[in-house]
Amino acid sequence: MIRAVTDSRDLPTAGVTPEPLTSNAQSDSETRLAGIIGSAMDAIITIDDDQRVVVFNAAAERTFGIPVAEALGQSLERFIPERFRTAHRGHVQEFDRTNVTKRAMGRLSSLFGLRSNGEEFPIEASISQVEIRGKKLLTVILRDITEKRRAEMQLLRAQRLESVGTLAGGLAHDLNNILAPIMMSVRLLERKLAGDPEGLEYVVMLGQLADRGASIVRQVLSFARGVEGDRVPTQLGHIIREVADVLRETLPRSIAVRSELANDLWIARADSTHIHQVLMNLAVNGRDSMPSGGTLTFVAQNVTLDAHFAQMHPDATPGKYVSIAVTDTGSGIAPEHLDRIFDPFFTTKSHGEGTGLGLSTTLGIIRTHEGFINVYSEIGQGTRFTIYLPAYPLEPGADVPADKSELMARLPAGHGELIMVVDDEASIREMTGRTLTEFGYKVLSASDGTEAVSLLAQHQGQIAAVVLDMMMPFMDGIATARALRHMAPNLRLIGSSGLAEKRRLAEAEDAGLVGFLPKPYTADDLLQALAEALKER
């Protein structure tokens, strides 16, 4: 509705009883105009010579959060943030003199409005001037572009992430090629230095650092490109302790890190790198809410959820779970933000201080693990995120693995089988070949697909298996695999790549691969994969 404080003969109005009109045509025209202004989707504000509001339509009321009756008679500056008012006065004076404005609707510029609650918001605006009976009236038509700006920022962030993903893929490929020979060398050095405790200690440390580097590469790929991880029976307590140790070394000393873990914590089927990423994301979220210090606590325990709990939590199903609660004593999350904290790109942090992707990534990872997250927060009291991961049932009497290395502690050796290693990276060919030779295999090496096909032709019927890089120039792994299987249909092919995308894995399986080694792989991974492939031969 539009209400005016000027004489009704000066300006068309609605919601006001006009003085008698001299012309039915004029009355009809004013009624139509009032209807158009009142139903307009954009905010329309008209001001007089004193810059007092004389027209304030319904869209303006919604935009600024101010009732029409309260807005009428107010200075236009009431709707402009204080830091822009001086510039606004100069612009109005210039417009009054030249009747020309650069503030055209649809052009992005540094224009902001001020809502009744003090919130600033971006606008697009156009302005026009009309003189009625010697009185100048300025009409501003403006549009709240908060959502438009947000969509533009999300698009820019998505484009940046796509670029990051492409860059991450290239870096991961190179880093994996560097880490793989190091990780295979560690196992060989451990065997040779078995009688040298001091030297063995250094080698073990080297292996741990290489594993950590490989873990970081996988985290980057998981975030930037959505690469899926390897979910195996995992003792989550080990991951929590590792994360807590890292945080104690890296967080400000004003933040205490505590952990409370059940002694009989159940096993979960999980990717350790992804769970590590989840816990770090939640820890960083907690750190940011405690700029003056506080306490970050990890609590892990076994829980059995019943049907009543599942009814109260739509993402849950009854059953046994391992729960991990990450609690901070920070500022808390405002109630109006709780429903949006997992939305991609949503953040309450200042520009440049957060991407709004940490919690959405966390939710995505937990859902792929068939789990769910609950969050509880109070302003000034802190926040608790509770992760629920389905417990993994072990066979009665089965041993609980401490970590991945224990799963592969007993390394299978070869019995003179001839293995061909195909990789365009010389260091990987060299170390893979040495590892296989050390463990009882014979080895052929090829630097590309063409050479692999030639070697297979020369050793027809002798090669038991092929370890094949999937990302080679000229003739990639898929094409090489198809050519080799065409020549030797029963050949056992094991693919290897640092970019295990679902589409490529499906293509590799169609090409006849019976196993896959994610780079960088260790000697343990290599020997286990070969043993499995040859067992089925």
Side-chain angles (χ1 to χ4, degrees):
M1 178 176 292
I2 307 163
R3 300 190 188 277
V5 296
T6 56
D7 190 291
S8 61
R9 292 170 296 184
D10 295 334
L11 192 67
T13 64
V16 173
T17 303
E19 295 180 4
L21 298 174
T22 58
S23 168
N24 289 335
Q26 181 182 356
S27 176
D28 291 344
S29 177
E30 290 178 353
T31 300
R32 284 195 299 270
L33 180 57
I36 292 171
I37 294 174
S39 62
M41 296 181 66
D42 292 326
I44 299 177
I45 303 174
T46 297
I47 58 175
D48 58 19
D49 284 338
D50 297 325
Q51 296 208 15
R52 299 288 174 181
V53 175
V54 295
V55 169
F56 199 80
N57 73 342
E61 184 179 48
R62 292 190 300 270
T63 299
F64 290 93
I66 300 174
V68 171
E70 182 181 332
L72 294 175
Q74 294 272 358
S75 169
L76 184 61
E77 291 189 351
R78 165 66 181 79
F79 309 100
I80 301 171
E82 187 173 355
R83 59 195 177 103
F84 294 111
R85 289 172 184 172
T86 300
H88 166 73
R89 294 187 198 106
H91 179 80
V92 171
Q93 291 172 359
E94 179 67 14
F95 178 76
D96 189 48
R97 184 178 65 84
T98 64
N99 203 29
V100 174
T101 181
K102 296 180 180 179
R103 296 185 177 183
M105 183 73 78
R107 293 181 182 175
L108 294 177
S109 58
S110 299
L111 293 176
F112 288 85
L114 182 66
R115 302 193 205 277
S116 60
N117 61 4
E119 176 192 354
E120 294 184 12
F121 63 99
I123 61 173
E124 292 175 346
S126 64
I127 187 170
S128 62
Q129 178 177 278
V130 65
E131 187 171 323
I132 299 179
R133 297 180 176 86
K135 296 180 180 179
K136 287 184 178 180
L137 299 173
L138 295 178
T139 296
V140 180
I141 302 176
L142 59 91
R143 180 177 300 158
D144 182 350
I145 57 170
T146 301
E147 292 302 321
K148 180 179 179 180
R149 286 282 180 89
R150 183 178 291 118
E152 288 170 347
M153 291 301 298
Q154 289 182 2
L155 177 61
L156 289 173
R157 286 173 178 168
Q159 290 171 338
R160 284 200 297 268
L161 282 176
E162 184 177 355
S163 300
V164 168
T166 302
L167 177 62
L171 289 175
H173 180 74
D174 293 339
L175 288 173
N176 286 336
N177 285 341
I178 294 170
L179 289 168
I182 296 173
M183 294 169 71
M184 283 186 285
S185 300
V186 166
R187 179 60 72 183
L188 299 182
L189 288 171
E190 286 177 351
R191 287 167 63 91
K192 294 184 181 299
L193 295 174
D196 181 2
E198 185 177 355
L200 187 60
E201 182 180 349
Y202 287 118
V203 171
V204 170
M205 184 182 300
L206 177 65
Q208 291 173 344
L209 292 172
D211 287 341
R212 185 71 189 116
S215 174
I216 291 172
V217 171
R218 287 193 295 269
Q219 286 186 48
V220 171
L221 285 174
S222 172
F223 173 76
R225 305 188 69 174
V227 175
E228 294 240 356
D230 183 20
R231 298 190 188 97
V232 297
T234 302
Q235 175 53 265
L236 298 175
H238 297 299
I239 302 175
I240 298 171
R241 291 188 188 95
E242 179 185 349
V243 170
D245 289 342
V246 170
L247 292 171
R248 289 188 184 100
E249 294 297 325
T250 56
L251 291 183
R253 296 302 178 191
S254 59
I255 297 178
V257 180
R258 298 174 181 171
S259 57
E260 302 172 13
L261 312 180
N263 293 326
D264 58 345
L265 205 60
W266 290 331
I267 300 300
R269 190 174 183 85
D271 178 82
S272 59
T273 299
H274 282 177
I275 300 304
H276 189 283
Q277 180 184 354
V278 163
L279 297 180
M280 289 299 291
N281 282 349
L282 296 179
V284 169
N285 197 71
R287 177 205 64 188
D288 293 343
S289 72
M290 299 184 290
S292 300
T295 302
L296 186 67
T297 305
F298 296 90
V299 177
Q301 57 187 342
N302 303 324
V303 295
T304 300
L305 305 182
D306 57 20
H308 176 71
F309 184 95
Q311 288 177 350
M312 301 297 293
H313 300 81
D315 293 334
T317 56
K320 294 183 176 181
Y321 290 80
V322 179
S323 74
I324 306 174
V326 183
T327 306
D328 64 68
T329 57
S331 56
I333 302 172
E336 63 268 22
H337 294 152
L338 275 175
D339 290 338
R340 300 190 59 194
I341 58 174
F342 293 109
D343 292 351
F345 302 109
F346 176 77
T347 179
T348 58
K349 299 175 184 177
S350 301
H351 180 68
E353 294 184 2
T355 63
L357 290 169
L359 291 179
S360 62
T361 301
T362 293
L363 179 62
I365 289 173
I366 296 304
R367 282 180 171 172
T368 62
H369 282 71
E370 299 179 355
F372 63 98
I373 303 178
N374 280 347
V375 58
Y376 176 79
S377 185
E378 290 187 16
I379 295 296
Q381 300 298 314
T383 302
R384 181 178 66 247
F385 288 92
T386 305
I387 301 163
Y388 293 85
L389 294 173
Y392 181 70
L394 292 175
E395 294 296 328
D399 293 330
V400 176
D403 52 36
K404 188 176 181 181
S405 64
E406 288 194 17
L407 288 173
M408 301 181 174
R410 301 179 63 182
L411 301 180
H415 300 88
E417 297 94 337
L418 182 60
I419 308 299
M420 181 162 62
V421 179
V422 187
D423 201 297
D424 62 323
E425 189 70 27
S427 60
I428 292 181
R429 293 197 307 273
E430 174 70 16
M431 287 312 306
T432 302
R434 287 193 180 191
T435 300
L436 294 176
T437 300
E438 182 77 16
F439 283 86
Y441 293 97
K442 296 177 182 178
V443 179
L444 290 173
S445 294
S447 60
D448 56 41
T450 303
E451 187 178 358
V453 170
S454 177
L455 284 174
L456 182 62
Q458 295 172 36
H459 299 82
Q460 190 69 258
Q462 302 175 37
I463 297 175
V466 178
V467 179
L468 177 63
D469 181 20
M470 304 307 294
M471 294 184 65
M472 298 184 294
F474 308 118
M475 188 174 180
D476 68 6
I478 300 294
T480 302
R482 287 173 176 156
L484 296 177
R485 284 298 298 269
H486 179 74
M487 297 172 62
N490 295 323
L491 188 64
R492 313 304 288 172
L493 299 175
I494 300 172
S496 176
S497 173
L499 303 176
E501 298 177 355
K502 283 185 176 180
R503 177 180 59 83
R504 296 291 291 173
L505 289 177
E507 290 179 1
E509 188 175 349
D510 290 341
L513 271 71
V514 297
F516 185 82
L517 280 169
K519 285 186 177 180
Y521 51 81
T522 64
D524 307 58
D525 300 326
L526 173 64
L527 295 170
Q528 287 287 345
L530 267 177
E532 289 295 322
L534 295 176
K535 182 175 66 176
E536 300 175 6
R537 184 167 176 252

